[in-house]
Amino acid sequence: MKKLLISTGGGDCPGLNAVIRGIYKRAKKEGGWEVYGSIEALSGVMREPPEIIQLDNSKIAGIHVRGGTILKTTNKGNPLQYPVKDKNGNINYVDITQELADKLTAMNFDAVINIGGDGSQKISQALYEKGIPVIGVPKTIDNDLSATDMTFGFQTAVQIATDSFDKLVTTAESHHRVMIMEVMGRDAGWIALHTAIAGGAEICLIPEIPYDVKKLIDRISDRYQNGRGFVNIVIAEGAKAKDGTVISSPGEEGSEHVRLGGVAYELSRQLKAAGCEAEIRETVLGHVQRGGTPVAFDRLLATMFGVRAFELVMEGSFGKMVSFQHNDFKAVDLAEATKSYNHVDKDSFLVNGAKGLGISFGD
Ligand code: F6P
C-alpha cells in the first residue's frame, strides 16, 4: 500500500472538509492507497509522538457539508519561520523545513497534499525543493491567491457577508443611519467588493484603494439630500485612509500575522470628525464569515480540487498546485503560484462597473 498525507494549514475556511473527502474518495476508488491526516497542519508531523491519524469511511462520511476541518488547523508554527525561544526568552524565527522533510521521508509518505493559503503553499514549495512529493490545494476566504480564478471558501464568505448586509439595510433605512459593516480581507478587498455589489452598498472601502474621508462625506451628503436618507458601507479589515494606517493589534506569540479588525470604528470616528451628522453604527462580522456550511459552489470547487490533487499524485506531477481557471481544473507550478498575490485591480471592470452603479471607493 502507498501512503498519502493530507494537511490543512492557516486559518480555517468552509470547504476544507470537502477537499479532504474528495481526496479520500478518489484515492479509495483508485485503490492501493492509505490516506492519513496530520493534526493541526504539519505540526502533527513534528510532534513527539507524531499526531497523525488514518482516515477511513467513518471519519469521511458526510463531512463535505461541515465547515472547519476534521484535521484541525493553526496559523502558528510556520516551519519556514519557526519560533524558537533562546535562553533569554527572546523568540528567534528559524527555518525547520529540512527537519520536517526528514521526518516525512522517515515516515515513508509517498505523497503529501497540503491544503492552505499563501503561507502554506510557500511551505509546500520549500518541501518540494527538499525532495518531498507535494501537491498544493489553494484555500482562503480572502480569494487572494494568484494562479487560480477562485479559492474555495470565498463564495461562502461573500454569501454570509451579503446576508448580513441585507439585514443592516433594513435597520439603516428605519433609523436614517449610516451603517458600517467590516468584513475580512487582509490585503485584498474581494469579499468587500463582491458584497458591496451584491448588496447594493453606497460605499465600498478596500485595501487596494486608500480612501479620502472628504469624498466619503460628499457621497453620504448626496445620498441624504438626493437619495433615500440612509447609507450602507462595506469596509475590508485591511482598508485605510489615504493618510492613515491599517488598524491592527499584535498577533498571538508564534502567529504568522498581526491581528486586523476594528477599522469600522476608526472609519466611524473619521466620519464624525469630518462633520458627518447622521447617526453611525458599526458591525464587525469577523469569524462568522469563516464558519458553517460551505455554499454549493464552494463544495463543488473544494471537492474537485481534492479529486484533481489526487490525480496529480497518481500522475507523479509533484510541485504543483491545483487551480481553477476558465471553468476548468488545472495544475500550476507551486513556484509560480506563490510568486504573486491576487489583489483587486483598481482599473478592472468590477471596480469601474461598481463606480458606474454609484458605489464610492473614496478615491
Ligand atoms: O486569511 C484569512 C483571514 O480570514 C483574514 O482575512 C483575517 O485577517 C485572518 O484570516 C484572521 O485569522 P485568525 O483570526 O484566524 O488569525
Side-chain angles (χ1 to χ4, degrees):
M1 290 294 264
K2 289 190 167 180
K3 287 170 68 181
L4 167 69
L5 183 71
I6 305 176
S7 160
T8 53
D12 73 343
C13 172
L16 284 167
N17 284 327
V19 183
I20 296 169
R21 176 175 166 276
I23 298 167
Y24 177 84
K25 283 184 82 85
R26 186 65 186 84
K28 192 94 178 122
K29 177 128 200 323
E30 184 61 20
W33 284 86
E34 286 174 348
V35 183
Y36 294 83
S38 174
I39 299 299
E40 279 187 29
L42 290 162
S43 311
V45 175
M46 294 304 293
R47 289 194 181 128
E48 284 303 340
E51 280 191 69
I52 289 173
I53 56 167
Q54 185 169 358
L55 301 180
D56 56 25
N57 289 346
S58 70
K59 291 193 183 72
I60 294 302
I63 61 170
H64 55 300
V65 292
R66 269 169 53 192
T69 159
I70 59 163
L71 297 177
K72 317 293 177 202
T73 187
T74 178
N75 51 26
K76 288 186 201 153
N78 178 348
L80 283 166
Q81 289 167 296
Y82 195 77
V84 177
K85 261 193 192 153
D86 66 17
K87 55 182 186 320
N88 303 319
N90 300 322
I91 295 186
N92 299 310
Y93 292 93
V94 292
D95 181 346
I96 58 155
T97 46
Q98 187 59 57
E99 209 180 320
L100 179 58
D102 292 344
K103 291 212 176 208
L104 286 165
T105 308
M107 288 172 187
N108 293 319
F109 283 112
D110 296 283
V112 176
I113 297 181
N114 193 20
I115 312 167
D118 186 54
S120 301
Q121 298 319 330
K122 286 191 173 123
I123 298 166
S124 302
Q125 173 62 13
L127 289 174
Y128 177 64
E129 282 167 12
K130 292 184 168 59
I132 301 298
V134 187
I135 301 291
V137 176
K139 85 70 246 198
T140 159
I141 65 161
D142 289 3
N143 201 35
D144 54 11
L145 275 171
S146 61
T148 182
D149 291 349
M150 216 174 286
T151 52
F152 66 87
F154 170 63
Q155 292 292 343
T156 304
V158 170
Q159 191 60 54
I160 293 168
T162 304
D163 290 346
S164 307
F165 183 89
D166 292 347
K167 293 181 169 81
L168 291 171
V169 168
T170 58
T171 165
E173 183 169 21
S174 307
H175 285 268
H176 305 289
R177 279 177 174 154
V178 173
M179 287 288 185
I180 304 173
M181 186 175 86
E182 177 181 321
V183 297
M184 283 187 170
R186 179 162 279 270
D187 303 295
W190 292 109
I191 298 175
L193 178 58
H194 282 227
T195 302
I197 296 171
E202 283 67 49
I203 294 173
C204 174
L205 304 174
I206 59 176
E208 292 87 344
I209 308 179
Y211 57 87
D212 178 343
V213 181
K214 280 200 221 83
K215 296 263 170 66
L216 304 183
I217 294 290
D218 292 346
R219 179 69 182 97
I220 292 170
S221 306
D222 179 57
R223 170 88 171 165
Y224 273 90
Q225 279 154 26
N226 308 314
R228 296 179 60 197
F230 66 96
V231 168
N232 284 87
I233 301 176
V234 186
I235 184 166
E237 60 184 353
K240 59 176 191 304
K242 274 190 172 144
D243 50 359
T245 47
V246 171
I247 305 300
S248 68
S249 52
E252 291 92 354
E253 199 175 284
S255 169
E256 274 175 13
H257 46 61
V258 294
R259 290 189 65 186
L260 302 191
V263 70
Y265 298 99
E266 174 65 5
L267 176 63
S268 177
R269 193 194 59 72
Q270 290 166 338
L271 292 175
K272 282 177 204 150
C276 175
E277 286 171 4
E279 287 181 5
I280 308 176
R281 293 291 185 271
E282 311 80 11
T283 302
V284 179
L285 276 193
H287 292 76
V288 292
Q289 294 160 93
R290 280 194 357 207
T293 306
V295 296
F297 183 74
D298 277 338
R299 288 187 216 174
L300 175 135
L301 199 56
T303 303
M304 297 321 281
F305 271 168
V307 170
R308 190 77 186 95
F310 183 75
E311 289 179 349
L312 289 174
V313 167
M314 288 193 305
E315 290 163 19
S317 302
F318 296 108
K320 308 270 185 200
M321 185 185 87
V322 294
S323 134
F324 182 66
Q325 287 174 4
H326 309 299
N327 225 12
D328 198 5
F329 290 83
K330 305 256 164 88
V332 291
D333 285 338
L334 274 166
E336 203 51 46
T338 49
K339 237 188 233 160
S340 58
Y341 205 74
N342 183 25
H343 286 292
V344 172
D345 175 1
K346 59 181 175 34
D347 300 318
S348 62
F349 172 73
L350 214 53
V351 171
N352 284 318
K355 285 182 180 171
L357 290 168
I359 299 175
S360 167
F361 291 78
D363 58 342

